[in-house]
Amino acid sequence: MAPDARRAAHGTVDDVRFVIIGAGAVGGVVAGRLAGSGTDVAVVARGPHLEAIRRDGLLLREASGDSVHRIPAFATPAEAGWRPDDVAVLAVKSYDTVGVLEQLPRDLPVVCLQNGVANERSALRRNAEVYGVCVMLPSAHLSPGVVVAQCAPVPGILDIGRYPAGTDGLATEIAARLVKAGFHAEPRPDIMRRKYTKLLMNLGNAVEALCGRVDGLDEATAPVRAEGEAVLRAAGIDFASAEEDAERRGDILQLRLVGGEERGGGSTWQSLARRTGSVEADYLNGEIVLLGRLHGVPTPANETARRLVLAAAHAGTGPGSLTPDEFLARLRSA
């Protein structure tokens, strides 16, 4: 059923409940912000994080102060008690996407609040209404029950569009809810073009996790990004230019200290820091490796970054195990 028809059949805009599956850094900040703005929200989490949310609420830390949100929290999507007007928001790592989708009703709209470009295609195999979000939301989740928004006063930019292209009434509704919650959000018909640009940025996540945020990091990530651009062009995949991306970002995202703590690193850095045993490099650098193999373009930089960060995750190695020079030396010997 189309979004507008669903609203007419089942209720008003105010009836929408967002069930955010994955209440980590991005999902948790979005959940807390939406809840704080009066939107009906529930989350799906696991382990100590789930226990802490159920016991103490979700603690959202921001430069402006802390807030606690008593949000319904479930261990699995099946426990959510799905309603006709619900929207499923995926905020899990890409390697968990298919497993989550298998637990969702097939008539739900699915929003991919995720990095990478493979999630939307997986969702569209099962659910007819799929939306992609280009996530620009510096955030952190390192302790159970706690998420940190690292930019203020605007926590992030979350543009949304229908997959594979276009916008509709639901995309406009979701963007409006996000704006009410303090985010910058616009419905965009070319959302995947924007997400491929974000993919290029995320190719450096593995190198950042391996080396930390240190001098020389830009030089170490440069070959990974350049290789990614070359592969996308060979594959005939359009992506927004650096100038377009800079224009959209402007000066909106302003990093701020929260509790006197410096930003440690992005999502892959945080996975190594929490010793989760897994990272989503297969869906970031691995996407470039896959496209390179399909189109006959060598991808040694992305394959090296992927191989090294996966090995670090599996070994339980924390971030910063290599210097940028050491990473580049590994790349030269690949």
Side-chain angles (χ1 to χ4, degrees), residues 29-45:
V29 169
V30 171
R33 275 277 177 159
L34 284 173
S37 68
T39 292
D40 191 3
V41 178
V43 297
V44 176

Side-chain angles (χ1 to χ4, degrees), residues 90 97-98 101 106 108-112 118-131 162-165 192:
L90 304 191
T97 291
V98 171
L101 289 168
R106 291 188 177 232
L108 283 178
V110 175
V111 176
C112 296
N119 303 292
E120 290 82 1
R121 183 179 175 87
S122 293
L124 198 63
R125 289 182 184 276
R126 296 166 171 80
N127 294 61
E129 296 174 51
V130 176
Y131 302 82
R162 186 145 181 171
Y163 179 78
M192 294 310 295

Side-chain angles (χ1 to χ4, degrees), residues 20-302:
I20 299 179
I21 304 168
V26 169
V29 169
V30 171
R33 275 277 177 159
L34 284 173
S37 68
T39 292
D40 191 3
V41 178
V43 297
V44 176
R46 59 190 176 190
H49 191 42
L50 172 63
E51 295 170 6
I53 295 171
R54 284 176 165 173
R55 182 182 65 247
D56 303 319
L58 177 69
L59 174 59
L60 171 58
R61 306 197 66 203
E62 302 181 87
S64 59
D66 296 350
S67 57
V68 176
H69 302 277
R70 299 286 179 174
I71 300 172
F74 308 107
T76 69
E79 295 178 13
W82 295 98
R83 310 168 186 169
D85 289 292
D86 284 345
V87 174
V89 181
L90 304 191
V92 296
K93 294 292 192 294
S94 297
Y95 47 73
D96 285 328
T97 291
V98 171
V100 167
L101 289 168
E102 290 173 347
Q103 302 177 63
L104 297 181
R106 291 188 177 232
D107 59 348
L108 283 178
V110 175
V111 176
C112 296
L113 185 73
Q114 299 164 287
N115 287 326
V117 294
N119 303 292
E120 290 82 1
R121 183 179 175 87
S122 293
L124 198 63
R125 289 182 184 276
R126 296 166 171 80
N127 294 61
E129 296 174 51
V130 176
Y131 302 82
V133 177
C134 185
V135 179
M136 294 182 275
L137 176 51
S139 52
H141 165 53
L142 296 172
S143 301
V146 182
V147 293
V148 183
Q150 298 174 320
C151 286
V154 178
I157 304 172
L158 301 172
D159 291 342
I160 182 170
R162 186 145 181 171
Y163 179 78
T167 61
D168 59 18
L170 184 55
T172 301
E173 286 181 21
I174 294 171
R177 293 299 187 91
L178 292 170
V179 169
K180 183 181 178 184
F183 298 98
H184 275 225
E186 297 178 1
R188 289 190 175 271
D190 63 342
I191 194 62
M192 294 310 295
R193 185 168 172 270
R194 303 282 175 166
K195 292 200 72 166
Y196 273 102
T197 301
K198 182 68 191 310
L199 172 65
L200 292 172
M201 296 181 57
N202 290 141
L203 297 179
N205 287 13
V207 185
E208 178 195 63
L210 290 165
C211 301
R213 298 171 65 86
V214 296
D215 290 342
L217 181 61
D218 289 346
E219 290 77 7
T221 59
V224 177
R225 168 74 182 243
E227 193 176 271
E229 291 188 12
V231 166
L232 292 186
R233 291 192 179 98
I237 295 173
D238 191 19
F239 56 93
S241 67
E243 292 75 20
E244 288 177 275
D245 185 63
E247 181 180 4
R248 176 64 182 109
R249 290 171 180 268
D251 59 358
I252 294 170
L253 299 180
Q254 300 290 328
L255 286 170
R256 296 285 187 265
L257 289 179
V258 180
E261 297 180 7
E262 296 281 354
R263 173 173 165 81
S267 58
T268 304
W269 185 97
Q270 293 174 42
S271 292
L272 291 191
R274 297 202 317 271
R275 307 300 202 274
T276 63
S278 58
V279 290
E280 61 179 339
D282 278 337
Y283 293 89
L284 300 175
N285 306 91
E287 184 73 25
I288 297 302
V289 172
L290 169 62
L291 289 170
R293 290 170 177 169
L294 288 172
H295 297 278
V297 180
T299 56
N302 281 277

